[in-house]
């Protein structure tokens, strides 16, 4: 019987022909689909290498920009795998990043800060898609009119690029508000507030290092990790509100006394609160002082009379500091606009407000001069500009100048809706409603004498807490109107 000849087959990964090296090579690579995947992966690696090489050539002299490139990949992975973790990382670290972001600019108008804004907006988008039970319709309805007003203001802004930057920043405020809304709706309010309080450890540490080593700004004001003392003061004020509310939340929970779980928040309260209050004093930011005193009076009258005595003691001790005395006495001098006279900071602000509003054309009362209009035209209407550009140092004046009566009406409704829900929350949960009310009140007080809308880091923290409080207020069932 004639033996059957041996025929090499390709049906098995382990069957190879010793007589055909070409077929063996194909078998070792895999099927065509695997070959295509490996080829695409190889092209992607080559493209990534080219981008990294070009990035290194372009920004090789900037060490921070060069070192930031490897962070893009893990942050991008977290964006789709764990967007909540990514957000917590962003919000925990943002208060310490200003010095790095200021030195990591691609140009005068673009840098890593803009990329962080876009990353946060993308994070909000992914969370909205992945949300399980939280409805974001209420957040969108609240913000749609202010967003449209800002977009409209960009269309006739005197300078397009700065206006677009402010629009992106404002969109990031909407994004962080929505994230806070989602997290609170998912029952993560306490975790969010803890992250915000813990984020203060780095700025407080840097601040006390500056105090002990004399490394404060040339004006003698404390700025810690922020670019301006005012921003640090506003941030500390927000953390104080968050810390007090977090302590109140902990007191409501049924935790056995004497345990580490029960004592931890109390210890954190008594350690962090004095440090935060001292930091606010050392920033020498008078608007933050005024807001803090106002909130202390409200809290003391309604909830804790002992707070009034504590606040009085703090005020007496603060008044003994030469820096505080100087800042207060400064308000009583330089209040008149006369030749060669030096105005104090508040009188200077009043003068630029009056100059800007008097300069406005009646034809611009309705829609204003566009986003950034006040800053752009300040050299035209402010006699003390000296050829320099200045912001309004008052968000209400800036809104009227940039967006006209339309913007004033829209933003008035925007905050009125939130105050309405804070009032409803007061009836169900007095302390939480009061915290929400005081949070907005402090924000508006600070907006009266500063360019708060431009302080991106502070606004991230404010709007995420405001979004969480708004979600809490919207969860209250409507009152039954039936007899």
């Amino acid at each position: 019987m004639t033996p059957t000849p041996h025929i090499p087959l390709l049906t098995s990964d382990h069957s190879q022909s010793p007589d055909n090296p070409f077929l063996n090579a194909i078998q070792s690579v895999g099927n065509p689909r695997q070959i295509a995947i490996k080829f695409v992966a190889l092209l992607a690696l080559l493209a990534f290498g080219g981008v990294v090489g070009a990035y290194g050539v372009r920004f090789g002299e900037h060490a921070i920009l060069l070192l930031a490139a490897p962070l893009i990949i893990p942050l991008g992975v977290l964006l789709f795998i764990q967007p909540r973790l990514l957000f917590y990382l962003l919000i925990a670290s943002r208060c310490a990043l200003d010095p790095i972001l200021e030195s990591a600019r691609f140009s005068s108008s673009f840098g890593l800060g803009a990329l962080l804004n876009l990353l946060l907006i993308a994070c909000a988008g992914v969370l909205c898609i992945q949300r399980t039970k939280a409805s974001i319709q209420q957040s969108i309805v609240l913000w749609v009119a202010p967003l449209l007003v800002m977009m409209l203001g960009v269309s006739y802004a005197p300078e397009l690029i700065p206006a677009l930057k402010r629009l992106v920043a404002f969109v990031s405020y909407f994004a962080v508000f929505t994230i806070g809304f989602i997290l609170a709706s998912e029952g993560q309010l306490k975790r969010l507030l803890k992250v915000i309080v813990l984020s203060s450890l780095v700025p407080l540490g840097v601040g006390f290092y500056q105090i002990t080593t004399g490394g404060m700004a040339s004006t003698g004001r404390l700025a810690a990790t922020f670019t301006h003392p005012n921003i640090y003061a506003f941030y500390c004020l927000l953390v104080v509100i968050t810390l007090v509310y977090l302590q109140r939340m902990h007191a409501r929970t049924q935790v056995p006394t004497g345990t580490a779980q029960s004592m931890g928040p109390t210890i954190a309260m008594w350690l962090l609160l004095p440090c935060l209050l001292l930091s606010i004093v050392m920033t020498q930011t008078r608007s933050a002082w005024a807001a803090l005193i106002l909130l202390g009076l409200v809290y003391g009258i309604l909830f804790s009379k002992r707070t009034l005595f504590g606040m009085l003691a703090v005020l007496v001790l603060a008044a003994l500091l030469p820096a505080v005395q100087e800042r207060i006495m400064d308000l009583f001098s330089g209040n008149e606009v006369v030749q060669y006279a030096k105005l104090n900071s508040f009188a200077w602000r009043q003068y630029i407000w009056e100059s800007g509003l008097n300069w406005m054309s009646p034809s611009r009362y309705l829609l204003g001069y566009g986003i950034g209009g006040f800053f752009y035209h300040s050299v035209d209407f402010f006699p003390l500009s000296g050829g320099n550009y200045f912001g309004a140092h008052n968000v209400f004046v800036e809104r009227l100048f940039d967006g006209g009566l339309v913007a004033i009406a829209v933003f008035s409704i925007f905050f009125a809706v939130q105050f309405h829900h804070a009032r409803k929350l007061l009836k169900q949960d007095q302390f939480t409603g009061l915290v929400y009310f005081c949070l907005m009140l402090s924000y508006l007080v600070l907006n009266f004498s500063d360019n708060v809308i431009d302080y991106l880091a502070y606004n991230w923290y404010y709007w995420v807490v405001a979004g969480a409080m708004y979600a809490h207020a919207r969860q209250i069932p409507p009152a039954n109107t039936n007899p």
Side-chain angles (χ1 to χ4, degrees):
M1 183 175 180
T2 306
T4 304
H6 174 72
I7 301 175
L9 299 175
L10 297 179
T11 56
S12 173
D13 292 337
H14 302 286
S15 59
Q16 293 184 347
S17 171
D19 302 325
N20 197 331
F22 179 72
L23 292 177
N24 290 340
I26 294 178
Q27 284 181 295
S28 64
V29 173
N31 60 45
R33 186 171 180 273
Q34 292 175 331
I35 295 173
I37 292 174
K38 293 176 181 178
F39 182 70
V40 171
L42 178 61
L43 290 179
L45 287 174
L46 291 174
F48 179 75
V51 170
V52 171
Y55 185 89
V57 171
R58 174 64 179 84
F59 301 109
E61 67 277 10
H62 301 288
I64 294 178
L65 287 175
L66 198 60
L67 293 174
L71 292 177
I72 297 175
I73 296 177
L75 291 179
V77 172
L78 275 181
L79 176 62
F80 295 101
I81 297 179
Q82 288 287 344
R84 287 167 182 78
L85 175 59
L86 173 62
F87 172 73
Y88 283 130
L89 290 175
L90 289 175
I91 207 69
S93 60
R94 184 60 185 87
C95 58
L97 295 181
D98 272 357
I100 298 175
L101 298 178
E102 284 298 313
S103 60
R105 289 184 173 274
F106 303 110
S107 64
S108 59
S109 59
F110 187 74
L112 288 181
L115 294 180
L116 278 184
N117 284 346
L118 296 176
L119 184 62
L120 179 72
I121 295 171
C123 185
V126 173
L127 280 174
C128 290
I129 296 172
Q130 294 184 357
R131 72 187 188 280
T132 54
K133 56 183 179 180
S135 173
I136 61 170
Q137 180 181 359
Q138 296 162 340
S139 175
I140 295 174
V141 169
L142 178 68
W143 280 80
V144 63
L147 287 169
L148 290 175
V149 166
M150 294 294 288
M151 293 176 187
L152 177 64
V154 170
S155 65
Y156 56 94
E159 292 182 301
L160 181 60
I161 300 301
L164 286 174
K165 282 180 58 181
R166 300 188 73 178
L167 175 62
V168 171
F170 192 77
V171 172
S172 75
Y173 304 159
F174 164 59
V176 78
F177 182 96
T178 303
I179 293 174
F181 189 95
I182 292 174
L183 294 178
S185 300
E186 295 176 345
Q188 298 191 42
L189 175 60
K190 194 170 184 178
R191 177 182 298 177
L192 172 64
L193 298 182
K194 284 182 178 179
V195 171
I196 292 174
V197 170
L198 291 175
S199 73
S200 65
L201 295 179
V202 173
L204 286 174
V206 173
F208 280 99
Y209 175 79
Q210 292 176 348
I211 292 174
T212 55
T213 59
M216 292 189 290
S218 58
T219 56
R221 301 175 63 188
L222 183 64
T225 56
F226 292 84
T227 55
H228 195 279
N230 289 10
I231 311 176
Y232 182 43
F234 301 160
Y235 166 78
C236 288
L237 181 63
L238 178 69
V239 177
V240 167
I241 297 173
T242 304
L243 183 61
V244 172
Y245 180 63
L246 194 59
Q247 171 64 19
R248 184 80 174 194
M249 288 179 67
H250 175 73
R252 291 177 176 179
T253 58
Q254 299 295 328
V255 180
T257 57
T259 63
Q261 187 178 1
S262 65
M263 296 299 294
T266 303
I267 295 174
M269 173 83 167
W270 288 108
L271 287 178
L272 287 177
L273 188 60
C275 297
L276 291 166
L277 295 178
L278 178 61
S279 296
I280 294 175
V281 171
M282 295 303 293
T283 62
Q284 303 182 32
T285 305
R286 288 173 297 213
S287 58
W289 296 350
L292 181 62
I293 293 172
L294 179 62
L295 298 183
L297 286 173
V298 173
Y299 179 78
I301 293 172
L302 295 180
F303 290 99
S304 175
K305 300 297 188 294
R306 291 180 300 177
T307 302
L308 297 176
F309 295 103
M311 186 175 67
L312 180 61
V314 171
L315 290 176
V316 171
L317 292 175
L320 299 177
L321 297 175
V324 175
Q325 296 173 359
E326 182 180 351
R327 291 289 287 175
I328 295 175
M329 294 303 298
D330 181 59
L331 293 174
F332 297 97
S333 62
N335 290 300
E336 296 183 4
V337 181
V338 294
Q339 191 174 15
Y340 304 119
K342 182 181 179 181
L343 295 176
N344 67 57
S345 58
F346 186 71
W348 182 93
R349 283 170 166 81
Q350 288 181 303
Y351 191 30
I352 195 172
W353 301 339
E354 294 172 0
S355 301
L357 296 179
N358 291 334
W359 185 84
M360 283 187 72
S361 169
S363 62
R364 295 280 190 164
Y365 286 167
L366 185 63
L367 294 176
Y369 290 85
I371 301 301
F374 192 100
F375 182 83
Y376 181 82
H377 291 290
S378 60
V379 293
D380 300 321
F381 63 72
F382 190 39
L384 302 182
S385 69
N388 299 313
Y389 296 91
F390 292 100
H393 290 79
N394 184 314
V395 176
F396 309 109
V397 172
E398 183 183 84
R399 280 283 170 264
L400 178 59
F401 195 99
D402 291 0
L405 295 174
V406 170
I408 292 294
V410 167
F411 280 93
S412 296
I413 296 173
F414 175 69
F415 279 101
V417 170
Q418 295 180 72
F419 274 113
H420 169 68
H421 287 287
R423 184 180 63 83
K424 289 173 57 179
L425 186 58
L426 272 169
K427 298 178 181 179
Q428 300 290 329
D429 185 344
Q430 187 181 31
F431 187 78
T432 303
L434 181 66
V435 168
Y436 189 19
F437 183 86
C438 290
L439 183 73
M440 290 186 288
L441 183 62
S442 66
Y443 188 74
L444 294 177
V445 169
L446 300 178
N447 273 266
F448 178 75
S449 61
D450 219 322
N451 303 312
V452 175
I453 196 68
D454 296 327
Y455 298 159
L456 190 138
Y458 165 69
N459 276 280
W460 275 22
Y461 290 96
Y462 171 80
W463 285 115
V464 71
V465 177
M469 289 295 178
Y470 188 68
H472 194 60
R474 291 305 301 250
Q475 290 173 357
I476 297 176
N480 188 4
T481 57
N482 295 328

